[in-house]
Amino acid sequence: MSREPNYEFQEWWNKQREKNDDFFTNDSNNANKGFLTVEIRSLNPDLTTEKDRSRSARQLSWICLLRFQQLANFLAWITNSFLLLLRTANRRISAADSPSDSSASRLYRIIKFFLFLVVLLLCVELVAYFKGWHFSPPSAASAEAAVELFYALWLEIRADYLAPPLQSLANVCIVLFLIQSMDRVLLMLGCLWIKIRRIKPTASMEYPMGRVETGNVDDYPMVLVQIPMCNEKEVYQQSIAAVCIMDWPKERMLVQVLDDSDELDAQNLIQAEVQKWHQKGVHILYRHRLIRSGYKAGNLKSAMSCDYVKNYEFVAIFDADFQPAPDFLKKTIPHFKGNDDLALVQARWAFVNKDENLLTRLQNINLSFHFEVEQQVNGVFINFFGFNGTAGVWRIKALEDCGGWLERTTVEDMDIAVRAHLCGWKFVYLNDVKCFCELPESYEAYKKQQYRWHSGPMQLFRLCFLDILHSKVNKAKKANLIFLFFLLRKLILPFYSFTLFCIILPLTIFLPEAELPAWVVCYVPGIMSMLNILPAPRSFPFIVPYLLFENTMSVTKFNAMISGLFRLGNSYEWIVTKKLGRSSEADLVAFENESDSSVTETTSFLRSSSDSGLEELSKLEVTSRRSVKTKRNRLYRMELTLAFILLSAAGRSLLSAQGIHFYFLLFQGISFLVVGLDLIGEQVTLTQHLLTNNSNFGVTGSGLKQFSIGHSLYGCQNANCEATCHWLKYKVCTKQKGVFEED
């Protein structure tokens, strides 16, 4: 049933339309007002007056003075900020404390000149571009103005005299690049063959896992364990504890803590830790040299000169941040049985902080390829590889046969490995035996480490080249040492990486008569990066940052290689890599799962921050908190200079519409800029107060995060318990003495 129409509302609506007819009409008078317009009229228009808004001369003068004062304050703020920025930059740049970032280096001077040249060429090309000469270059015959004649002569000079030698140098670097790439491909094929055939070193005997019975100790050889350290206050406890609880008869093992610390606090703490373990029945000695010569090599040489060393057959070496598993010796020593020509058994490194930041992730990619591919392939096929300086067991007879530790280089581990190889000794690499350690988390520490690692091999190559030629090993081993071990992997790799991608590529942009093919710039490096990342497949998303970062590090490696080869600067200086005592919960759990389940009994031990070391440790923490200084970003001159060079070349490439070259130069320049501003990695301090004062764990002492992880994993709810745990086998917590008993 329909509703009746409302006539009253319709009548009201018609009246309103008649009153406001102009509201709905669009005549010529209101055509510019739009369709819907609202007009507001005053009730008393005659009573309103227009307010005078004019200002007097005095008011205008005050306004002008105010504006000038604001402008002066702004200019003063800009000037002070700029001067402060310059002073800060100069202070952070001039704070060079290592040869790796010295501003007085010859390489830095060359790079500065190169930057000046590139900027000058960019200005010339910009002028030519806006004049239209970039697309239709003038000739000397048709030139009218002096500027046009100058540009025409420049084109002839670069085409006839500059481009040919640059192209020749580029071709040489391309050949070296391809040779080094083929070497990587062969290494990957060798690693694939090992995986398919499941080739691995096998020992002629095995030790039973578990606690050693007293009556069977004669089957265990005498082993000397050495822990060289220098001011390692963050990691000394965990390294000493890890060695002291190794599953080996106590009467058949002696631990030497070789302390080269020059800080009294560190000496007292390490001595207290050694005394604590000595009271627990561990055969452990503390050695401190008054004259710290020869760095680590001198420290090890001094320790091996003790009279009691002749009673031992093997020596295991662990750096201060390395934490071997309790069954480390039981998995390595058996390989010496029946192999009288075996000198070294090397274990693989595993990293507790590989996922800490982008820098540690990129390091993990590099080192995973080194251990998984290079070390394993060389160990299986030629029984030789460079000793890593730690996490290895040496036959003492082999050390004595090749002359012992020498102080002539900063890579004493590689030195003794090469000399032992020339004496006919063999090496074994165990990829399935892992020893946890720590990666540098700041770019400053990583740069110093890489400088030493790349200057030392060149020092050694210069010293032992003639020894290799005159040695009694066959020609194949000599060729492997000279061409593969030293030249290709230690000299050619940093040379072509820096020269090809940081020098030649920008020059070819400004000298287009010489060119680098796109496959050299992009495709081959991309394939090589994919091969390098295969041993660490979880890091595949970081393939592009890895490629850019490796090219960025080439300047440090090239500088180190040149310094070591020609003995420039302080190439013999040893700077200890700063460590933090970090531990990763996931890595500890993974290691526990990989370990043999039969290892269920080990001697229980007291918490590290108790008894004799507690008082000294507390004093150290108070001193450290007072002296903490927040670490600020450094500025690195060579990296920043190269960033400006590459970005300038990218701008020039944009003018000529070179797509792939432009993108490579742009991103590589940004990579250099990020590293030069110290924006990669993590800025850290010297103390671990965030780790050591966690109320949930109740842990005291610096560098004990690893112990607290084991404590928390097994669910101790007692906030007052100060117990600590090194390995996850200790599960039951007792509050009385702070002891983790065996499960």
Side-chain angles (χ1 to χ4, degrees):
M1 180 173 162
S2 61
R3 179 181 297 180
E4 295 182 359
N6 192 343
Y7 296 104
E8 295 180 359
F9 176 79
Q10 187 175 2
E11 183 179 358
W12 175 83
W13 177 255
N14 292 333
K15 291 180 180 179
Q16 294 297 323
R17 288 185 61 186
E18 292 175 0
K19 291 180 179 179
N20 302 290
D21 185 60
D22 293 339
F23 181 79
F24 294 95
T25 58
N26 190 17
D27 54 7
S28 60
N29 295 330
N30 57 9
N32 296 329
K33 296 181 181 180
F35 183 72
L36 296 177
T37 307
V38 178
E39 183 178 358
I40 301 176
R41 296 184 176 90
S42 175
L43 296 177
N44 298 313
D46 298 337
L47 298 178
T48 60
T49 57
E50 185 72 18
K51 186 177 181 180
D52 187 12
R53 295 182 176 273
S54 61
R55 295 184 177 90
S56 64
R58 184 177 181 182
Q59 289 176 328
L60 290 175
S61 62
W62 279 107
I63 292 175
C64 292
L65 289 175
L66 181 62
R67 293 289 184 264
F68 280 121
Q69 183 180 7
Q70 291 176 348
L71 180 61
N73 291 338
F74 177 74
L75 293 177
W77 178 79
I78 289 291
T79 304
N80 292 334
S81 300
F82 182 72
L83 293 176
L84 179 62
L85 179 63
L86 289 180
R87 287 196 297 268
T88 303
N90 183 65
R91 182 173 64 252
R92 296 184 183 182
I93 289 176
S94 62
D97 54 356
S98 73
S100 60
D101 51 21
S102 175
S103 60
S105 65
R106 296 177 176 86
L107 179 62
Y108 177 66
R109 297 172 187 172
I110 296 174
I111 294 176
K112 283 198 302 184
F113 173 76
F114 187 41
L115 174 62
F116 172 77
L117 181 64
V118 164
V119 173
L120 180 63
L121 292 177
L122 180 61
C123 295
V124 172
E125 294 299 330
L126 286 174
V127 172
Y129 181 81
F130 288 110
K131 289 286 187 178
W133 301 336
H134 185 66
F135 299 102
S136 57
S139 61
S142 61
E144 298 179 357
V147 177
E148 191 173 355
L149 178 62
F150 170 79
Y151 187 73
L153 293 176
W154 160 245
L155 293 180
E156 294 180 1
I157 291 173
R158 80 181 191 187
D160 297 337
Y161 300 102
L162 299 180
L166 179 62
Q167 186 66 61
S168 300
L169 180 60
N171 294 336
V172 171
C173 289
I174 291 174
V175 172
L176 296 178
F177 180 32
L178 293 178
I179 293 175
Q180 200 274 336
S181 300
M182 287 300 300
D183 175 60
R184 298 238 161 179
V185 172
L186 292 177
L187 287 173
M188 286 299 302
L189 292 177
C191 183
L192 181 61
W193 177 261
I194 293 173
K195 296 294 183 182
I196 294 175
R197 300 299 298 269
R198 297 181 180 179
I199 302 174
K200 60 182 296 186
T202 56
S204 58
M205 55 88 65
E206 292 183 359
Y207 288 109
M209 296 302 172
R211 181 173 296 177
V212 180
E213 298 295 336
T214 307
N216 299 328
V217 295
D218 294 337
D219 298 333
Y220 296 83
M222 299 288 288
V223 178
L224 180 66
V225 182
Q226 295 177 335
I227 311 176
M229 59 179 61
C230 179
N231 299 325
E232 315 273 6
K233 292 183 291 189
E234 294 80 12
V235 294
Y236 74 96
Q237 289 175 314
Q238 58 196 41
S239 61
I240 294 176
V243 169
C244 290
I245 66 170
M246 284 201 296
D247 189 13
W248 199 258
K250 292 184 178 180
E251 58 270 27
R252 311 291 290 180
M253 181 180 72
L254 175 65
V255 180
Q256 283 183 323
V257 178
L258 311 178
D259 183 25
D260 260 3
S261 302
D262 54 5
E263 298 177 5
L264 185 59
D265 288 338
Q267 297 176 24
N268 293 335
L269 286 172
I270 297 172
Q271 279 185 300
E273 188 72 13
V274 170
Q275 181 64 25
K276 182 192 70 176
W277 286 103
H278 179 70
Q279 293 174 356
K280 292 176 59 60
V282 178
H283 292 182
I284 183 171
L285 296 176
Y286 174 84
R287 285 180 54 85
H288 181 267
R289 298 189 302 161
L290 297 178
I291 302 177
R292 184 175 168 248
S293 61
Y295 302 110
K296 182 179 176 181
N299 198 1
L300 295 173
K301 180 180 179 180
S302 174
M304 294 299 295
S305 63
C306 298
D307 294 336
Y308 54 80
V309 173
K310 62 184 179 181
N311 299 324
Y312 294 85
E313 187 177 356
F314 305 103
V315 56
I317 303 173
F318 301 100
D319 282 349
D321 60 321
F322 278 73
Q323 305 151 42
D327 57 356
F328 181 87
L329 293 179
K330 285 190 174 181
K331 289 184 176 180
T332 54
I333 295 296
H335 290 272
F336 290 98
K337 298 292 183 179
N339 296 325
D340 295 336
D341 58 348
L342 181 61
L344 169 67
V345 175
Q346 174 71 60
R348 178 175 178 169
W349 296 4
F351 310 108
V352 299
N353 61 338
K354 63 178 182 292
D355 296 324
E356 193 69 29
N357 53 50
L358 178 60
L359 180 60
T360 58
R361 290 177 184 272
L362 299 179
Q363 293 179 67
N364 179 58
I365 296 173
N366 226 350
L367 291 173
S368 294
F369 182 87
H370 172 70
F371 288 105
E372 185 80 17
V373 181
E374 289 185 8
Q375 296 281 75
Q376 188 171 205
V377 170
N378 291 331
V380 169
F381 291 103
I382 61 177
N383 298 119
F384 168 73
F385 47 83
F387 175 46
N388 296 319
T390 179
V393 182
W394 277 91
R395 190 189 297 270
I396 295 181
K397 181 181 178 181
L399 292 178
E400 296 173 348
D401 183 49
C402 64
W405 299 101
L406 299 181
E407 306 170 9
R408 56 182 184 173
T409 70
T410 57
V411 284
E412 75 297 327
D413 46 6
M414 185 182 296
D415 184 9
I416 201 167
V418 170
R419 287 186 282 115
H421 181 59
L422 295 179
C423 292
W425 292 95
K426 296 181 179 180
F427 301 165
V428 166
Y429 174 73
L430 302 180
N431 192 56
D432 56 344
V433 179
K434 299 180 181 180
C435 189
F436 283 102
C437 63
E438 181 181 326
L439 291 168
E441 296 183 15
S442 66
Y443 178 69
E444 181 180 3
Y446 180 64
K447 184 175 182 177
K448 294 174 182 178
Q449 181 195 72
Q450 292 299 305
Y451 187 91
R452 176 168 55 87
W453 284 6
H454 286 81
S455 65
M458 290 299 98
Q459 303 168 11
L460 180 61
F461 177 66
R462 190 185 66 253
L463 293 172
C464 68
F465 178 71
L466 295 178
D467 295 336
I468 296 174
L469 294 178
H470 298 150
S471 64
K472 297 181 180 180
V473 298
N474 56 47
K475 295 181 179 180
K477 292 183 178 180
K478 292 181 181 179
N480 173 68
L481 276 175
I482 294 176
F483 295 106
L484 292 181
F485 187 76
F486 281 111
L487 291 181
L488 187 60
R489 297 167 187 167
K490 303 296 188 299
L491 189 147
I492 291 178
L493 177 59
F495 171 77
Y496 86 75
S497 296
F498 173 73
T499 307
L500 189 63
F501 297 110
C502 300
I503 301 297
I504 295 178
L505 179 58
L507 282 179
T508 56
I509 300 299
F510 291 98
L511 306 178
E513 292 80 6
E515 61 176 357
L516 283 180
W519 58 269
V520 175
V521 177
C522 180
Y523 303 124
V524 175
I527 294 174
M528 292 300 104
S529 298
M530 293 181 64
L531 292 180
N532 289 350
I533 215 168
L534 286 179
R538 290 179 53 194
S539 303
F540 190 80
F542 303 95
I543 183 172
V544 175
Y546 170 73
L547 172 61
L548 297 175
F549 182 70
E550 282 300 297
N551 290 335
T552 304
M553 285 301 301
S554 64
V555 60
T556 298
K557 298 176 181 179
F558 179 82
N559 186 26
M561 181 265 294
I562 295 297
S563 299
L565 188 62
F566 298 103
R567 304 180 65 178
L568 302 176
N570 298 325
S571 57
Y572 282 87
E573 182 181 358
W574 178 297
I575 299 177
V576 178
T577 304
K578 181 60 65 178
K579 305 174 183 67
L580 304 176
R582 291 206 183 263
S583 299
S584 170
E585 180 175 330
D587 287 323
L588 291 175
V589 174
F591 181 83
E592 177 66 11
N593 293 333
E594 292 176 1
S595 300
D596 196 328
S597 60
S598 61
V599 184
T600 58
E601 294 184 355
T602 310
T603 305
S604 61
F605 62 97
L606 293 176
R607 57 191 172 93
S608 297
S609 58
S610 63
D611 300 338
S612 59
L614 182 58
E615 183 178 355
E616 291 82 354
L617 190 59
S618 301
K619 294 178 181 179
L620 175 62
E621 287 180 346
V622 173
T623 305
S624 300
R625 290 192 186 97
R626 291 175 179 174
S627 60
V628 167
K629 294 182 180 179
T630 303
K631 186 180 184 304
R632 298 182 178 180
N633 295 59
R634 291 276 305 279
L635 297 179
Y636 299 95
R637 291 187 175 187
M638 283 197 293
E639 285 81 353
L640 289 176
T641 306
L642 285 168
F644 297 140
I645 290 173
L646 294 172
L647 292 176
S648 301
R652 171 63 179 86
S653 177
L654 187 62
L655 296 179
S656 56
Q658 294 179 337
I660 195 168
H661 293 74
F662 165 73
Y663 288 112
F664 181 86
L665 289 167
L666 176 63
F667 291 119
Q668 190 63 70
I670 293 175
S671 176
F672 268 101
L673 186 63
V674 169
V675 172
L677 295 175
D678 199 10
L679 299 179
I680 189 172
E682 185 178 19
Q683 304 307 324
V684 294
T685 58
L686 297 179
T687 57
Q688 301 290 317
H689 57 278
L690 292 178
L691 304 179
T692 59
N693 295 330
N694 194 323
S695 60
N696 294 328
F697 296 156
V699 179
T700 59
S702 64
L704 295 180
K705 180 182 177 183
Q706 174 173 348
F707 301 116
S708 63
I709 286 174
H711 188 198
S712 62
L713 283 179
Y714 290 105
C716 178
Q717 303 299 326
N718 190 350
N720 296 322
C721 177
E722 295 181 348
T724 59
C725 175
H726 185 75
W727 292 108
L728 303 183
K729 297 180 179 63
Y730 304 91
K731 300 181 180 180
V732 181
C733 174
T734 61
K735 179 181 177 182
Q736 288 78 11
K737 294 184 178 180
V739 178
F740 272 109
E741 297 178 351
E742 303 166 27
D743 183 28

